[in-house]
PDB file of all heavy atoms in Angstrom:
ATOM      1  N   LEU G  48    -144.434-106.862 -45.903  1.00 95.00           N
ATOM      2  CA  LEU G  48    -144.484-106.810 -44.453  1.00 95.00           C
ATOM      3  C   LEU G  48    -145.523-107.796 -43.907  1.00 95.00           C
ATOM      4  O   LEU G  48    -145.286-108.505 -42.957  1.00 95.00           O
ATOM      5  CB  LEU G  48    -144.862-105.371 -44.044  1.00 95.00           C
ATOM      6  CG  LEU G  48    -143.780-104.441 -43.478  1.00 95.00           C
ATOM      7  CD1 LEU G  48    -142.376-104.873 -43.835  1.00 95.00           C
ATOM      8  CD2 LEU G  48    -143.996-103.017 -43.911  1.00 95.00           C
ATOM      9  N   LEU G  51    -144.312-111.208 -43.979  1.00 96.00           N
ATOM     10  CA  LEU G  51    -143.241-111.425 -43.017  1.00 96.00           C
ATOM     11  C   LEU G  51    -143.759-111.508 -41.594  1.00 96.00           C
ATOM     12  O   LEU G  51    -143.089-111.979 -40.708  1.00 96.00           O
ATOM     13  CB  LEU G  51    -142.211-110.330 -43.128  1.00 96.00           C
ATOM     14  CG  LEU G  51    -140.915-110.651 -43.834  1.00 96.00           C
ATOM     15  CD1 LEU G  51    -141.103-111.763 -44.888  1.00 96.00           C
ATOM     16  CD2 LEU G  51    -140.317-109.412 -44.495  1.00 96.00           C
ATOM     17  N   GLU G  52    -144.981-111.031 -41.433  1.00 95.00           N
ATOM     18  CA  GLU G  52    -145.543-110.992 -40.097  1.00 95.00           C
ATOM     19  C   GLU G  52    -145.662-112.429 -39.542  1.00 95.00           C
ATOM     20  O   GLU G  52    -145.545-112.668 -38.362  1.00 95.00           O
ATOM     21  CB  GLU G  52    -146.926-110.347 -40.194  1.00 95.00           C
ATOM     22  CG  GLU G  52    -147.504-110.018 -38.842  1.00 95.00           C
ATOM     23  CD  GLU G  52    -148.851-109.297 -38.951  1.00 95.00           C
ATOM     24  OE1 GLU G  52    -149.476-109.390 -40.059  1.00 95.00           O
ATOM     25  OE2 GLU G  52    -149.278-108.653 -38.004  1.00 95.00           O
ATOM     26  N   GLY G  54    -143.691-114.807 -39.962  1.00 95.00           N
ATOM     27  CA  GLY G  54    -142.414-115.430 -39.671  1.00 95.00           C
ATOM     28  C   GLY G  54    -141.423-115.142 -40.774  1.00 95.00           C
ATOM     29  O   GLY G  54    -141.781-114.573 -41.760  1.00 95.00           O
ATOM     30  N   PRO G  55    -140.196-115.586 -40.553  1.00 96.00           N
ATOM     31  CA  PRO G  55    -139.156-115.400 -41.520  1.00 96.00           C
ATOM     32  C   PRO G  55    -139.547-116.073 -42.853  1.00 96.00           C
ATOM     33  O   PRO G  55    -140.142-117.126 -42.851  1.00 96.00           O
ATOM     34  CB  PRO G  55    -137.944-116.065 -40.939  1.00 96.00           C
ATOM     35  CG  PRO G  55    -138.235-116.206 -39.459  1.00 96.00           C
ATOM     36  CD  PRO G  55    -139.730-116.294 -39.373  1.00 96.00           C
ATOM     37  N   ARG G  56    -139.147-115.394 -43.939  1.00 96.00           N
ATOM     38  CA  ARG G  56    -139.466-116.003 -45.243  1.00 96.00           C
ATOM     39  C   ARG G  56    -138.242-115.834 -46.145  1.00 96.00           C
ATOM     40  O   ARG G  56    -137.521-114.854 -46.066  1.00 96.00           O
ATOM     41  CB  ARG G  56    -140.636-115.262 -45.862  1.00 96.00           C
ATOM     42  CG  ARG G  56    -141.947-115.534 -45.267  1.00 96.00           C
ATOM     43  CD  ARG G  56    -142.704-116.468 -46.100  1.00 96.00           C
ATOM     44  NE  ARG G  56    -144.133-116.582 -45.692  1.00 96.00           N
ATOM     45  CZ  ARG G  56    -144.507-117.305 -44.646  1.00 96.00           C
ATOM     46  NH1 ARG G  56    -143.629-117.928 -43.947  1.00 96.00           N
ATOM     47  NH2 ARG G  56    -145.769-117.361 -44.327  1.00 96.00           N
ATOM     48  N   LEU G  61    -141.274-115.633 -50.712  1.00 95.00           N
ATOM     49  CA  LEU G  61    -141.943-114.380 -50.788  1.00 95.00           C
ATOM     50  C   LEU G  61    -142.464-114.118 -52.194  1.00 95.00           C
ATOM     51  O   LEU G  61    -143.626-113.710 -52.431  1.00 95.00           O
ATOM     52  CB  LEU G  61    -141.025-113.223 -50.380  1.00 95.00           C
ATOM     53  CG  LEU G  61    -140.879-112.981 -48.877  1.00 95.00           C
ATOM     54  CD1 LEU G  61    -139.792-111.991 -48.625  1.00 95.00           C
ATOM     55  CD2 LEU G  61    -142.221-112.463 -48.329  1.00 95.00           C
ATOM     56  N   LEU G  77    -137.343-105.114 -50.780  1.00 97.00           N
ATOM     57  CA  LEU G  77    -136.725-105.716 -49.598  1.00 97.00           C
ATOM     58  C   LEU G  77    -135.528-104.912 -49.140  1.00 97.00           C
ATOM     59  O   LEU G  77    -135.370-104.630 -47.935  1.00 97.00           O
ATOM     60  CB  LEU G  77    -136.291-107.151 -49.932  1.00 97.00           C
ATOM     61  CG  LEU G  77    -137.415-108.200 -49.969  1.00 97.00           C
ATOM     62  CD1 LEU G  77    -136.888-109.500 -50.517  1.00 97.00           C
ATOM     63  CD2 LEU G  77    -138.057-108.361 -48.590  1.00 97.00           C
ATOM     64  N   GLY G  84    -134.787-100.170 -41.667  1.00 96.00           N
ATOM     65  CA  GLY G  84    -134.784-100.861 -40.397  1.00 96.00           C
ATOM     66  C   GLY G  84    -136.053-101.610 -40.061  1.00 96.00           C
ATOM     67  O   GLY G  84    -136.303-101.949 -38.913  1.00 96.00           O
ATOM     68  N   LEU G  85    -136.880-101.870 -41.059  1.00 96.00           N
ATOM     69  CA  LEU G  85    -138.095-102.575 -40.790  1.00 96.00           C
ATOM     70  C   LEU G  85    -137.969-104.092 -40.938  1.00 96.00           C
ATOM     71  O   LEU G  85    -138.712-104.830 -40.297  1.00 96.00           O
ATOM     72  CB  LEU G  85    -139.198-102.068 -41.808  1.00 96.00           C
ATOM     73  CG  LEU G  85    -139.541-100.583 -41.687  1.00 96.00           C
ATOM     74  CD1 LEU G  85    -140.504-100.171 -42.755  1.00 96.00           C
ATOM     75  CD2 LEU G  85    -140.149-100.302 -40.303  1.00 96.00           C
ATOM     76  N   ILE G  86    -137.038-104.487 -41.702  1.00 97.00           N
ATOM     77  CA  ILE G  86    -136.797-105.954 -41.819  1.00 97.00           C
ATOM     78  C   ILE G  86    -135.311-106.227 -41.733  1.00 97.00           C
ATOM     79  O   ILE G  86    -134.498-105.339 -41.912  1.00 97.00           O
ATOM     80  CB  ILE G  86    -137.347-106.536 -43.134  1.00 97.00           C
ATOM     81  CG1 ILE G  86    -136.547-106.006 -44.313  1.00 97.00           C
ATOM     82  CG2 ILE G  86    -138.819-106.243 -43.329  1.00 97.00           C
ATOM     83  CD1 ILE G  86    -136.969-106.595 -45.672  1.00 97.00           C
ATOM     84  N   GLN G  87    -135.043-107.459 -41.436  1.00 96.00           N
ATOM     85  CA  GLN G  87    -133.655-107.876 -41.251  1.00 96.00           C
ATOM     86  C   GLN G  87    -133.356-108.980 -42.309  1.00 96.00           C
ATOM     87  O   GLN G  87    -134.161-109.871 -42.511  1.00 96.00           O
ATOM     88  CB  GLN G  87    -133.454-108.419 -39.893  1.00 96.00           C
ATOM     89  CG  GLN G  87    -131.999-108.763 -39.566  1.00 96.00           C
ATOM     90  CD  GLN G  87    -131.904-109.658 -38.331  1.00 96.00           C
ATOM     91  OE1 GLN G  87    -132.922-109.926 -37.701  1.00 96.00           O
ATOM     92  NE2 GLN G  87    -130.722-110.122 -38.008  1.00 96.00           N
ATOM     93  N   ARG G  88    -132.208-108.861 -42.922  1.00 96.00           N
ATOM     94  CA  ARG G  88    -131.817-109.828 -43.939  1.00 96.00           C
ATOM     95  C   ARG G  88    -130.772-110.743 -43.396  1.00 96.00           C
ATOM     96  O   ARG G  88    -129.730-110.249 -42.814  1.00 96.00           O
ATOM     97  CB  ARG G  88    -131.290-109.065 -45.135  1.00 96.00           C
ATOM     98  CG  ARG G  88    -130.850-109.925 -46.285  1.00 96.00           C
ATOM     99  CD  ARG G  88    -130.380-109.016 -47.432  1.00 96.00           C
ATOM    100  NE  ARG G  88    -130.100-109.722 -48.636  1.00 96.00           N
ATOM    101  CZ  ARG G  88    -128.833-110.162 -48.987  1.00 96.00           C
ATOM    102  NH1 ARG G  88    -127.824-109.967 -48.191  1.00 96.00           N
ATOM    103  NH2 ARG G  88    -128.667-110.795 -50.158  1.00 96.00           N
ATOM    104  N   THR G  89    -130.928-112.030 -43.514  1.00 95.00           N
ATOM    105  CA  THR G  89    -129.906-112.954 -43.017  1.00 95.00           C
ATOM    106  C   THR G  89    -129.511-113.916 -44.114  1.00 95.00           C
ATOM    107  O   THR G  89    -130.370-114.532 -44.758  1.00 95.00           O
ATOM    108  CB  THR G  89    -130.528-113.777 -41.853  1.00 95.00           C
ATOM    109  OG1 THR G  89    -131.223-112.896 -40.972  1.00 95.00           O
ATOM    110  CG2 THR G  89    -129.426-114.469 -41.106  1.00 95.00           C
ATOM    111  N   TYR G  91    -127.602-117.340 -45.094  1.00 92.00           N
ATOM    112  CA  TYR G  91    -127.083-118.605 -44.593  1.00 92.00           C
ATOM    113  C   TYR G  91    -126.140-119.192 -45.586  1.00 92.00           C
ATOM    114  O   TYR G  91    -126.533-119.365 -46.765  1.00 92.00           O
ATOM    115  CB  TYR G  91    -128.246-119.577 -44.303  1.00 92.00           C
ATOM    116  CG  TYR G  91    -129.198-119.062 -43.282  1.00 92.00           C
ATOM    117  CD1 TYR G  91    -130.380-118.415 -43.659  1.00 92.00           C
ATOM    118  CD2 TYR G  91    -128.928-119.184 -41.925  1.00 92.00           C
ATOM    119  CE1 TYR G  91    -131.238-117.878 -42.736  1.00 92.00           C
ATOM    120  CE2 TYR G  91    -129.790-118.651 -40.994  1.00 92.00           C
ATOM    121  CZ  TYR G  91    -130.952-118.005 -41.384  1.00 92.00           C
ATOM    122  OH  TYR G  91    -131.826-117.535 -40.469  1.00 92.00           O
ATOM    123  N   ASP G  99    -132.881-115.183 -45.774  1.00 95.00           N
ATOM    124  CA  ASP G  99    -134.235-115.013 -45.347  1.00 95.00           C
ATOM    125  C   ASP G  99    -134.424-113.600 -44.754  1.00 95.00           C
ATOM    126  O   ASP G  99    -133.473-112.935 -44.378  1.00 95.00           O
ATOM    127  CB  ASP G  99    -134.752-116.124 -44.451  1.00 95.00           C
ATOM    128  CG  ASP G  99    -134.295-116.004 -43.010  1.00 95.00           C
ATOM    129  OD1 ASP G  99    -133.778-114.971 -42.626  1.00 95.00           O
ATOM    130  OD2 ASP G  99    -134.521-116.991 -42.261  1.00 95.00           O
ATOM    131  N   TYR G 100    -135.671-113.247 -44.739  1.00 97.00           N
ATOM    132  CA  TYR G 100    -136.017-111.900 -44.218  1.00 97.00           C
ATOM    133  C   TYR G 100    -136.990-112.051 -43.098  1.00 97.00           C
ATOM    134  O   TYR G 100    -137.869-112.920 -43.132  1.00 97.00           O
ATOM    135  CB  TYR G 100    -136.647-111.109 -45.401  1.00 97.00           C
ATOM    136  CG  TYR G 100    -135.726-110.907 -46.545  1.00 97.00           C
ATOM    137  CD1 TYR G 100    -135.631-111.833 -47.584  1.00 97.00           C
ATOM    138  CD2 TYR G 100    -134.943-109.762 -46.603  1.00 97.00           C
ATOM    139  CE1 TYR G 100    -134.790-111.645 -48.656  1.00 97.00           C
ATOM    140  CE2 TYR G 100    -134.052-109.571 -47.660  1.00 97.00           C
ATOM    141  CZ  TYR G 100    -133.979-110.504 -48.732  1.00 97.00           C
ATOM    142  OH  TYR G 100    -133.174-110.301 -49.757  1.00 97.00           O
ATOM    143  N   ARG G 101    -136.889-111.136 -42.126  1.00 97.00           N
ATOM    144  CA  ARG G 101    -137.840-111.189 -41.015  1.00 97.00           C
ATOM    145  C   ARG G 101    -138.036-109.752 -40.485  1.00 97.00           C
ATOM    146  O   ARG G 101    -137.177-108.924 -40.691  1.00 97.00           O
ATOM    147  CB  ARG G 101    -137.339-112.106 -39.932  1.00 97.00           C
ATOM    148  CG  ARG G 101    -136.112-111.555 -39.204  1.00 97.00           C
ATOM    149  CD  ARG G 101    -135.529-112.630 -38.303  1.00 97.00           C
ATOM    150  NE  ARG G 101    -135.042-113.768 -39.094  1.00 97.00           N
ATOM    151  CZ  ARG G 101    -134.789-115.003 -38.574  1.00 97.00           C
ATOM    152  NH1 ARG G 101    -134.940-115.188 -37.302  1.00 97.00           N
ATOM    153  NH2 ARG G 101    -134.376-115.938 -39.329  1.00 97.00           N
ATOM    154  N   LEU G 102    -139.139-109.551 -39.827  1.00 98.00           N
ATOM    155  CA  LEU G 102    -139.416-108.250 -39.287  1.00 98.00           C
ATOM    156  C   LEU G 102    -138.494-107.923 -38.158  1.00 98.00           C
ATOM    157  O   LEU G 102    -138.143-108.783 -37.343  1.00 98.00           O
ATOM    158  CB  LEU G 102    -140.854-108.229 -38.773  1.00 98.00           C
ATOM    159  CG  LEU G 102    -141.976-108.288 -39.741  1.00 98.00           C
ATOM    160  CD1 LEU G 102    -143.350-108.184 -39.018  1.00 98.00           C
ATOM    161  CD2 LEU G 102    -141.886-107.215 -40.774  1.00 98.00           C
ATOM    162  N   THR G 103    -138.039-106.696 -38.107  1.00 97.00           N
ATOM    163  CA  THR G 103    -137.326-106.252 -36.928  1.00 97.00           C
ATOM    164  C   THR G 103    -138.342-105.819 -35.877  1.00 97.00           C
ATOM    165  O   THR G 103    -139.529-105.909 -36.145  1.00 97.00           O
ATOM    166  CB  THR G 103    -136.437-105.044 -37.246  1.00 97.00           C
ATOM    167  OG1 THR G 103    -137.317-104.005 -37.666  1.00 97.00           O
ATOM    168  CG2 THR G 103    -135.460-105.326 -38.319  1.00 97.00           C
ATOM    169  N   LYS G 104    -137.931-105.447 -34.776  1.00 97.00           N
ATOM    170  CA  LYS G 104    -138.817-104.967 -33.751  1.00 97.00           C
ATOM    171  C   LYS G 104    -139.596-103.757 -34.281  1.00 97.00           C
ATOM    172  O   LYS G 104    -140.786-103.640 -34.104  1.00 97.00           O
ATOM    173  CB  LYS G 104    -138.015-104.586 -32.507  1.00 97.00           C
ATOM    174  CG  LYS G 104    -138.716-104.898 -31.212  1.00 97.00           C
ATOM    175  CD  LYS G 104    -137.764-104.705 -30.014  1.00 97.00           C
ATOM    176  CE  LYS G 104    -138.503-104.878 -28.685  1.00 97.00           C
ATOM    177  NZ  LYS G 104    -137.636-104.710 -27.544  1.00 97.00           N
ATOM    178  N   GLY G 106    -140.137-102.995 -37.333  1.00 97.00           N
ATOM    179  CA  GLY G 106    -141.051-103.470 -38.366  1.00 97.00           C
ATOM    180  C   GLY G 106    -142.326-104.065 -37.718  1.00 97.00           C
ATOM    181  O   GLY G 106    -143.432-103.855 -38.191  1.00 97.00           O
ATOM    182  N   GLN G 107    -142.110-104.796 -36.641  1.00 97.00           N
ATOM    183  CA  GLN G 107    -143.203-105.440 -35.968  1.00 97.00           C
ATOM    184  C   GLN G 107    -144.178-104.390 -35.397  1.00 97.00           C
ATOM    185  O   GLN G 107    -145.390-104.509 -35.474  1.00 97.00           O
ATOM    186  CB  GLN G 107    -142.729-106.323 -34.817  1.00 97.00           C
ATOM    187  CG  GLN G 107    -143.296-107.690 -34.898  1.00 97.00           C
ATOM    188  CD  GLN G 107    -142.307-108.720 -34.416  1.00 97.00           C
ATOM    189  OE1 GLN G 107    -141.383-108.391 -33.675  1.00 97.00           O
ATOM    190  NE2 GLN G 107    -142.458-109.949 -34.805  1.00 97.00           N
TER     191      GLN G 107
ATOM    192  N   LEU F   9    -130.328-126.387 -41.840  1.00 25.00           N
ATOM    193  CA  LEU F   9    -129.608-125.228 -42.335  1.00 25.00           C
ATOM    194  C   LEU F   9    -128.113-125.350 -42.107  1.00 25.00           C
ATOM    195  O   LEU F   9    -127.300-124.789 -42.814  1.00 25.00           O
ATOM    196  CB  LEU F   9    -130.097-123.942 -41.717  1.00 25.00           C
ATOM    197  CG  LEU F   9    -131.325-123.391 -42.371  1.00 25.00           C
ATOM    198  CD1 LEU F   9    -131.788-122.144 -41.649  1.00 25.00           C
ATOM    199  CD2 LEU F   9    -131.050-123.024 -43.819  1.00 25.00           C
TER     200      LEU F   9
END
Side-chain angles (χ1 to χ4, degrees):
Chain G
L48 254 20
L51 257 28
E52 193 176 18
R56 289 258 191 281
L61 276 172
L77 284 170
L85 297 174
I86 67 177
Q87 185 196 356
R88 178 179 189 266
T89 316
Y91 299 96
D99 81 12
Y100 298 88
R101 67 191 64 196
L102 293 182
T103 60
K104 216 169 174 182
Q107 230 147 23
Chain F
L9 277 177

